[in-house]
Amino acid sequence: LGDVYKRQTAIRALHELGATSAGPLQRIDAGGFVPADFPSNGAIGGVHLVDVEHLTPDAQVYWRNRLVRDENSSLTNHLRIFASTSAQLPELIQAGTFDPRLGQALLRFEVQMPLLRERKGDVPLIAEALLKKLGAAVGRERIQLSPAALKYLASCRFPDNLRQLERLLERAVAYSLGKIVRRQTLRELMADLERTVASMREERQRLERDRLLDALRQSGGNITETAELLDKS
């Protein structure tokens, strides 16, 4: 659980440190998964089902049976299945919208990904690791954060979680002339980034509102037809 970036990072680490690391990790959008298109055998080491709550009923049955088949098989090279979600699977199971046997199997080993603002003490360590990676990508391996910059980052809220921190550090690498990223640089870049994020949210809300109004006009104000047009409940 957690934001998309953290989920992907955690699952990639679990795959690379696990028994199936020799094989590739295939990322599958659960909402668009078609059982007939997925090979029954192959060299895939692991599968990451993204937003598993969007699996269709047929797809849920497929993965439930796949898990049961692998558990009952004597083969050692089982397909390793990772699933990520921003929903609460127990609630979906109770509501009858998610296969209970599949849900219980996926929840046997559950990893909760806390929001970054709930783990402020980890921010400096994460920031230093990200800065090292970002600096190496552009040939600036020696770039570092000053103690004051690290303290400033620990005080930030990061409403967009880890992705916002990474975007901030990307800009810091680009705009810092020396080997040290200073607090003032981060404060200025954060102000610009927050304005950019706010404008993007406003634009997304405007587009969603316009889409809703268009659907209402098309349906003559009928709520049920509007929901169908928008593919919403």
Side-chain angles (χ1 to χ4, degrees):
L1 300 173
D3 70 88
V4 175
Y5 184 82
K6 284 195 292 185
R7 292 191 303 236
Q8 291 177 355
T9 302
I11 287 174
R12 187 168 59 250
L14 288 169
H15 169 69
E16 292 175 353
L17 296 172
T20 56
S21 59
L25 176 67
Q26 182 172 342
R27 188 172 179 270
I28 296 176
D29 179 5
F33 176 75
V34 178
D37 294 340
F38 191 74
S40 58
N41 296 295
I44 301 172
V47 167
H48 173 194
L49 296 174
V50 182
D51 294 330
V52 70
E53 72 275 17
H54 294 150
L55 285 172
T56 65
D58 287 345
Q60 291 179 35
V61 171
Y62 170 85
W63 286 112
R64 182 195 69 197
N65 292 340
R66 183 73 185 252
L67 284 168
V68 170
R69 189 193 76 181
D70 282 359
E71 286 180 356
N72 295 333
S73 171
S74 59
L75 298 176
T76 57
N77 57 339
H78 294 163
L79 179 67
R80 198 174 185 200
I81 299 172
F82 304 95
S84 60
T85 178
S86 57
Q88 295 293 330
L89 284 189
E91 294 179 5
L92 298 182
I93 294 170
Q94 188 173 11
T97 59
F98 199 87
D99 186 283
R101 290 180 63 190
L102 174 61
Q104 290 165 8
L106 295 176
L107 290 170
R108 283 172 61 192
F109 302 100
E110 181 182 0
V111 179
Q112 294 276 349
M113 301 297 293
L115 297 173
L116 191 58
R117 61 176 174 269
E118 296 174 357
R119 299 292 300 242
K120 288 190 175 183
D122 293 340
V123 170
L125 289 173
I126 295 171
E128 288 182 320
L130 282 174
L131 190 72
K132 184 177 180 180
K133 182 189 76 171
L134 294 168
V138 295
R140 301 190 65 189
E141 292 84 354
R142 292 187 159 187
I143 193 165
Q144 296 180 349
L145 291 156
S146 71
L150 287 169
K151 186 176 180 180
Y152 169 74
L153 289 176
S155 70
C156 295
R157 290 187 65 252
F158 297 110
D160 284 344
N161 269 301
L162 205 56
R163 179 63 71 184
Q164 184 177 1
L165 174 58
E166 185 175 38
R167 285 200 299 265
L168 175 65
L169 294 175
E170 282 177 340
R171 296 187 180 196
V173 171
Y175 288 104
S176 296
L177 299 178
K179 297 178 181 178
I180 303 297
V181 177
R182 306 291 179 185
R183 177 175 57 185
Q184 185 59 31
T185 300
L186 291 180
R187 292 182 65 176
E188 293 171 358
L189 291 173
M190 177 64 92
D192 289 339
L193 190 60
E194 287 176 344
R195 283 192 291 268
T196 301
V197 170
S199 64
M200 289 172 63
R201 285 203 190 103
E202 290 175 3
E203 178 64 12
R204 184 169 64 247
Q205 291 171 356
R206 185 188 67 78
L207 291 172
E208 290 175 352
R209 185 172 62 249
D210 290 347
R211 186 172 174 231
L212 173 59
L213 291 173
D214 287 342
L216 281 167
R217 280 191 286 267
Q218 290 179 48
S219 67
N222 186 296
I223 299 299
T224 301
E225 291 183 16
T226 299
E228 291 177 353
L229 287 169
L230 296 174
D231 193 25
K232 302 286 186 182
S233 63

